[in-house]
Amino acid sequence: MLTSQGCLKPALFGEKRSCSAFSLCLHVTRGFRKQSVATGQSQSTVCSSRELLEKPKRASPRTDTDFLCTPCGLPLPKRIHLELDESRLRVDGRVIIVGDIHGCCDEFLTLLKKCKYREDRDNLILVGDLVNKGPKSCEVLSEAVRLGAWAVRGNHDDGALMARTAFARNQEIDGRFQWVKNLQPEHLEYLNSLPFTIFLPSHHVLVVHAGLLPGVKLDRQKLDHMYTMRDVVLHRKTKTFEARQIPCKNSTRWASKWTGPEHAIFGHDAIRKIQKFPLATGIDSGCVYGNKLTACILPSPASMQDSLKGPVTRKKLRMKMVSVKAKEVYERPKPFANDGA
């Protein structure tokens, strides 16, 4: 979101503790305040963390059009929630869903080879955080574009777009985002198009980067929750859940409380690695931290007709998991750090 003077303002959605997207925005653009002072711009054009946190919360959105921008203050994609029915998929090809790549392009290509991925037949979906932290973010994007891969938006993907916007406006960006200067037009077009969820009606599978609030309809899910949350806290009086980015004493993993009806496949939670719950599967196995890159393989849409009745479990989906080891440790993990990790 741009002010009248042209400064980028991070936009907050959701409650105060779920603020990884906010922290990432401040991290990317930490030079904005210093620059505004140097150029003599009014201080009112730059939001401080206290000013942002004191803003009143937005009402829960009812439809996609109720959102004005992404949590990083960027234009919304054409579709917040994308449905891939059989008219948009290769019905005779498998569905391969890959966890958080984070710029680990070599491991990504090795994983596809191990999965025996067929470019002209299979369907490829990425769970977000394609970029940042690892050594080859632009190369990952080039491969995603070349392969025609579908992907959901991760917090680091949104953060990269924000950093690129700052760079285009000659504003200072943080050191770990310097690679965005090399983004090509096709990379930007791809990142800007990323939805927050992808639904596969043939499999009754919902792909999201981080999480979904149990008991809340998809069109009422908050954008920052979908790419930052890890846990939920149950309110005893209202019997409703509140999202948490950072686990706390009374929180539990959101996926353990997910009741569907879709089977959710997600990433983002590398510290906990592979997660398996009755109706949710987490596939971020921390490749960028020197662990593994993981994919889950689902049968072709054509083979799933009339095979899913009742709860959609991994057994009914005939889900297979494939992993490859990281070539090296690219970054040391910070357990549940609130910096967009």
Side-chain angles (χ1 to χ4, degrees), residues 101-108 130 134-136 140 287-288 293 330:
I101 302 172
H102 275 301
C104 300
C105 192
D106 294 344
E107 291 86 346
F108 176 42
L130 286 65
K136 297 181 178 180
V140 169
C287 182
V288 77
L293 183 63
Y330 301 104

Side-chain angles (χ1 to χ4, degrees), residues 39-50:
T39 57
Q41 290 183 2
S42 169
Q43 286 296 304
S44 64
T45 65
V46 182
C47 277
S48 69
S49 58
R50 181 176 298 276

Side-chain angles (χ1 to χ4, degrees), residues 96 98-119 124 126 130 136-149 287 292-295 322-327 330:
I96 299 176
V98 179
D100 301 39
I101 302 172
H102 275 301
C104 300
C105 192
D106 294 344
E107 291 86 346
F108 176 42
L109 296 177
T110 301
L111 178 61
L112 293 183
K113 185 176 181 180
K114 188 173 182 179
C115 292
K116 298 180 179 179
Y117 171 68
R118 302 162 293 182
E119 293 184 24
L124 181 60
L126 314 176
L130 286 65
K136 297 181 178 180
S137 290
C138 289
E139 289 88 338
V140 169
L141 291 172
S142 292
E143 288 299 324
V145 172
R146 181 182 69 83
L147 296 170
C287 182
K292 297 179 179 180
L293 183 63
T294 299
V322 178
S323 298
V324 297
K325 292 183 178 180
K327 293 176 63 176
Y330 301 104

Side-chain angles (χ1 to χ4, degrees), residues 40-99:
Q41 290 183 2
S42 169
Q43 286 296 304
S44 64
T45 65
V46 182
C47 277
S48 69
S49 58
R50 181 176 298 276
E51 288 167 348
L52 281 168
L53 289 176
E54 287 175 350
K55 288 184 177 182
K57 294 187 292 183
R58 294 177 179 268
S60 297
R62 295 184 180 275
T63 66
D64 288 359
T65 57
D66 287 328
F67 295 110
L68 300 178
C69 55
T70 76
C72 278
L74 300 168
L76 292 173
K78 184 177 180 180
R79 292 283 184 272
I80 291 178
H81 305 293
L82 178 64
E83 181 173 318
L84 297 180
D85 59 22
E86 294 187 9
S87 68
R88 308 187 74 175
L89 295 173
R90 299 181 176 116
V91 294
D92 294 322
R94 299 170 300 164
V95 177
I96 299 176
I97 305 175
V98 179

Side-chain angles (χ1 to χ4, degrees), residues 18 20 100 127-129 152-155 196-197 206-213 221-231 244-245 253-255 264-269 272 275 280-284 341:
S18 180
S20 175
D100 301 39
V127 300
D129 277 4
V152 295
R153 184 176 302 233
N155 52 320
F196 283 78
T197 68
L206 188 60
V207 182
V208 66
H209 176 60
L212 298 160
L213 205 58
Q221 297 282 343
K222 294 183 178 180
L223 299 186
D224 68 325
H225 292 172
M226 289 186 282
Y227 73 19
T228 63
M229 67 180 289
R230 292 187 178 96
D231 279 24
R244 287 288 184 270
Q245 156 72 351
R253 303 184 195 194
W254 74 268
I265 297 177
F266 64 99
H268 185 63
D269 204 353
R272 291 164 168 166
Q275 300 183 57
T281 303
I283 60 173
D284 183 2

Side-chain angles (χ1 to χ4, degrees), residues 24 93 155 260 271 274 325 328:
L24 180 60
N155 52 320
I271 301 300
I274 300 297
K325 292 183 178 180
E328 59 182 280

